[in-house]
Amino acid sequence: MMKIGFIGLGNMGAPMAKNLAAAGHEVTGYDTADISVEGVAKAAAMEDAVRGQEVVITMLPNGQIVRRVHEAIIRAADPETLIIDCSTIDIESARAVHDMAAEPGLLSLDAPVSGGTGGAAAGTLTFMVGGSDAAFAKGKPLFEIMGRKAVHCGAAGNGQAAKICNNMILGISMIGVCEAFHLADRIGLTRQAMFDVASTSSGSCWSLNTYCPAPGVGPDSPSDHDYKPGFAAELMLKDLDLSQTAAEKNGAATELGRHARDIYKAFVDGGGEGKDFSAILAKLEQG
Ligand code: NAD
């Protein structure tokens, strides 16, 4: 049993904190929006969710907020506290908060997740983790409760690096699958026939086989529920912005990543906000 502070109890954080409490850990939560979570004690101030905890986990919207919150956590934390940030943020902010934690000698991990709100609720997330071996060893039992898999990707910031590479593949592949369905429509191939062939051929990929963007085709997915997310288009845009920023800063040639970012930006700005990211297919149909 561990004493755990959990900061950021939104769509992802709340079910993750709930699962830790259900597994028998003593969890104290804090969110500026005053959110109550089953089994989780509510702290009146953020410092109350930090002082005396063995582990403090954050699940917050962006790098700027993570930097600010981590400054306050590091001031209030006990010397042996492990700090884990599970938010999806830019690599620079991730590395900056590791450096901040290292100054007073605190262990820290960046551990963004894949699996969405469904995975958070079911405790089946995948964690991509950056930080020292000692920090990973301490955090691993908690990842095993909140998720199904935790991959130690290397040093500080490498969890975020893995996350943005994965989601760049996802954004590009989803657009590719949607374009193939759109082309099939125009050239007289049924969507079902396209799925039956491509999902068992070299065109197979997660965006097609598991999360098919065409309603009524393939396994149940957001397209079968009027594109209710799932994984919202604006979150995909956020992740593609992060990968393009990293690519530009580091001289990586990611032409398709850039194009995918531009397509999602146009989609979100054009009314796609709040729709699942697979709704790009409906957008192509409209021309
Ligand atoms: P969310 O907006 O539902 O939750 C964020 C929470 O942080 C909110 O409840 C907000 O009140 C709280 N918060 C903001 N500033 C705070 C502060 N200073 N102190 C305490 N609490 C504060 O977002 P979410 O969907 O839970 O996503 C959280 C993170 O997880 C994001 O970085 C997102 O990119 C990532 N992520 C989300 C999904 C998804 O499907 N939702 C999937 C993978 C990763």
Side-chain angles (χ1 to χ4, degrees):
M1 207 271 288
M2 278 192 195
K3 281 170 69 80
I4 302 169
F6 207 113
I7 297 169
L9 301 167
N11 293 323
M12 296 293 289
M16 291 164 71
K18 185 179 164 197
N19 285 338
L20 290 171
H25 293 293
E26 191 181 324
V27 185
T28 304
Y30 176 77
D31 192 295
T32 42
D34 191 29
I35 294 167
S36 301
V37 179
E38 192 186 321
V40 175
K42 203 196 278 186
M46 190 176 71
E47 285 70 16
D48 299 334
V50 176
R51 260 182 235 111
Q53 308 294 346
E54 294 166 83
V55 179
V56 174
I57 301 174
T58 54
M59 194 50 163
L60 295 162
N62 60 50
Q64 213 183 348
I65 294 175
V66 168
R67 283 180 191 241
R68 212 171 53 232
V69 168
H70 277 235
E71 256 175 38
I73 291 173
I74 289 160
R75 274 200 303 274
D78 287 3
E80 58 288 337
T81 302
L82 165 68
I83 304 174
I84 305 176
D85 178 42
C86 293
S87 327
T88 303
I89 62 169
D90 58 289
I91 296 173
E92 282 180 349
S93 295
R95 291 190 174 141
V97 298
H98 274 283
D99 288 348
M100 275 158 44
E103 258 182 49
L106 299 175
L107 290 176
S108 61
L109 294 170
D110 54 294
V113 303
S114 161
T117 51
T124 57
L125 295 168
T126 295
F127 286 84
M128 299 152 242
V129 190
S132 68
D133 290 342
F136 183 68
K138 189 166 175 185
K140 198 162 178 262
L142 304 182
F143 299 140
E144 283 165 359
I145 293 166
M146 297 184 284
R148 196 155 40 195
K149 192 169 178 186
V151 181
H152 191 191
C153 300
N158 279 17
Q160 299 296 346
K163 169 82 183 172
I164 61 176
C165 289
N166 179 72
N167 278 23
M168 188 175 75
I169 297 172
L170 178 62
I172 293 169
S173 69
M174 180 54 80
I175 292 169
V177 167
C178 290
E179 288 188 354
F181 275 118
H182 180 53
L183 177 63
D185 290 345
R186 293 291 164 103
I187 58 181
L189 179 67
T190 66
R191 289 179 169 189
Q192 189 64 52
M194 211 290 281
F195 178 85
D196 289 345
V197 172
S199 67
T200 54
S201 301
S202 45
S204 71
C205 61
W206 187 89
S207 294
L208 176 65
N209 292 38
T210 308
Y211 206 88
C212 183
V217 179
D220 190 64
S221 67
S223 65
D224 298 310
H225 305 278
D226 199 24
Y227 297 103
K228 184 171 176 289
F231 185 47
E234 62 271 23
L235 290 178
M236 174 50 83
L237 175 59
K238 171 191 167 181
D239 292 358
L240 290 169
D241 270 331
L242 291 175
S243 53
Q244 277 320 105
T245 303
E248 281 155 23
K249 282 200 175 127
N250 295 282
T254 55
E255 287 293 306
L256 288 181
R258 181 159 53 82
H259 203 157
R261 190 266 314 270
D262 293 346
I263 288 172
Y264 274 105
K265 173 106 180 70
F267 179 58
V268 168
D269 290 349
E273 191 167 346
K275 289 273 182 202
D276 188 75
F277 82 115
S278 60
I280 284 283
L281 177 58
K283 169 91 177 71
L284 291 174
E285 284 163 1
Q286 289 156 13

